[in-house]
Amino acid sequence: MRTKLAAGNWKMNGTGRDLGVLTELARRHTQPGCEILICPPVSLLHRAAQTVQGTSISVGGQDCHAARSGAHTGDISAEMLADAGARSVILGHSERREDHAETNAHVRDKVRAALAAGLVSIVCVGETKDQRLANETLSVVADQLAGSIPDQVTGDTLVVAYEPIWAIGTGLVPTVEQIAEVHGFIRAQLHDRFGAQTGSQIRLLYGGSVKPDNAAAIFAVPDVDGALVGGASLSADDFSPIVSALEGSA
Ligand code: PEP
């Protein structure tokens, strides 16, 4: 049985006054039927961790460096994220792959660093619009999975987020059939590589314009174990109904 996960990615949004969103989420979901994770910008991470202490919510990072420490101005290590209170880290988000030219190999090294620091890695994969139109979605996702995930992961240390790039922040959402196809494919790839037990334990999130009004339909898709939510995680009024939809899903 996989624990469902509602994860919020605040991206480069939020200052101290937005920490109230966490307090409000904790107030509304005292005994949630799923895991709730918020990944604020790193400037807020420590305060966010303190804010959610003793509640049902955990916090995570949005990226980490592959090295433990060193001359990497502006970067942050997995150990530093953990020290600030993170339990998880998003890795290989398409905005990092695009803005910072992150390759699958970079992402794989970051996952290794996250493992060493005791963090759960949420590894993002997904195709561009052109790749979907060219019928390349499954091969792109297969390459990303093969290249971005090291052999050492387990069902407790890895979450995979399928995020079609054309659906992120656009209001466009794949059909439930399209989501089912890719999630089924990812599950089969994980089984092939890690065996049936670990392959069945790794959680698969869908990400890309998840909103209160489409969440229930997405969560009804087989092999969708939750969501990675960008814009709608910035407000408790938007994120809370998504959490509730996940709690209510079979
Ligand atoms: C994301 O950035 O991971 C994301 C899914 O964003 P949004 O929900 O805003 O599409």
Side-chain angles (χ1 to χ4, degrees):
M1 198 49 187
R2 297 183 292 268
T3 306
K4 293 176 186 296
L5 171 60
N9 172 14
W10 281 10
K11 312 191 185 191
M12 199 173 71
N13 296 293
T15 57
R17 63 178 171 267
D18 298 301
L19 290 169
V21 172
L22 300 176
T23 318
E24 181 57 17
L25 285 172
R27 193 188 65 76
R28 294 191 197 187
H29 301 278
T30 46
Q31 289 186 306
C34 67
E35 201 180 316
I36 304 173
L37 167 72
I38 294 290
C39 300
V42 77
S43 56
L44 285 182
L45 189 57
H46 184 58
R47 272 190 290 170
Q50 289 179 320
T51 303
V52 301
Q53 204 166 31
T55 76
S56 58
I57 298 173
S58 62
V59 296
Q62 300 176 10
D63 177 52
C64 70
H65 198 278
R68 266 194 89 196
S69 61
H72 303 289
T73 303
D75 278 314
I76 189 148
S77 72
E79 192 181 41
M80 292 169 184
L81 293 178
D83 183 53
R87 302 242 200 95
S88 317
V89 58
I90 299 169
L91 294 171
H93 190 284
S94 58
E95 289 154 13
R96 300 267 342 153
R97 291 180 188 262
E98 167 93 24
D99 295 354
H100 300 271
E102 284 189 9
T103 64
N104 289 332
H106 290 134
V107 178
R108 186 193 56 220
D109 290 345
K110 290 174 182 220
V111 176
R112 288 205 182 103
L115 281 169
L119 295 177
V120 174
S121 297
I122 301 175
V123 173
C124 302
V125 298
E127 81 286 3
T128 63
K129 188 74 185 170
D130 284 350
Q131 289 165 335
R132 176 158 282 276
L133 292 174
N135 246 336
E136 292 169 0
T137 299
L138 299 184
S139 62
V140 166
V141 167
D143 280 354
Q144 291 173 328
L145 290 172
S148 306
I149 300 174
D151 291 334
Q152 300 85 350
V153 296
T154 65
D156 290 332
T157 56
L158 176 71
V159 175
V160 175
Y162 169 54
E163 299 209 306
I165 296 169
W166 51 274
I168 295 178
T170 59
L172 300 172
V173 182
T175 63
V176 288
E177 290 79 13
Q178 288 172 324
I179 296 174
E181 182 193 28
V182 180
H183 278 239
F185 176 76
I186 294 173
R187 179 69 65 209
Q189 294 278 303
L190 295 173
H191 273 225
D192 283 353
R193 179 159 170 205
F194 296 106
Q197 191 175 342
T198 298
S200 314
Q201 286 169 344
I202 295 169
R203 291 176 288 178
L204 307 186
L205 308 183
Y206 167 77
S209 295
V210 176
K211 305 289 176 204
D213 61 356
N214 61 20
I218 292 169
F219 295 148
V221 175
D223 273 310
V224 171
D225 302 311
L228 180 54
V229 181
S233 70
L234 294 170
S235 123
D237 283 344
D238 288 333
F239 196 55
S240 177
I242 294 172
V243 172
S244 299
L246 186 58
E247 292 172 324
S249 65

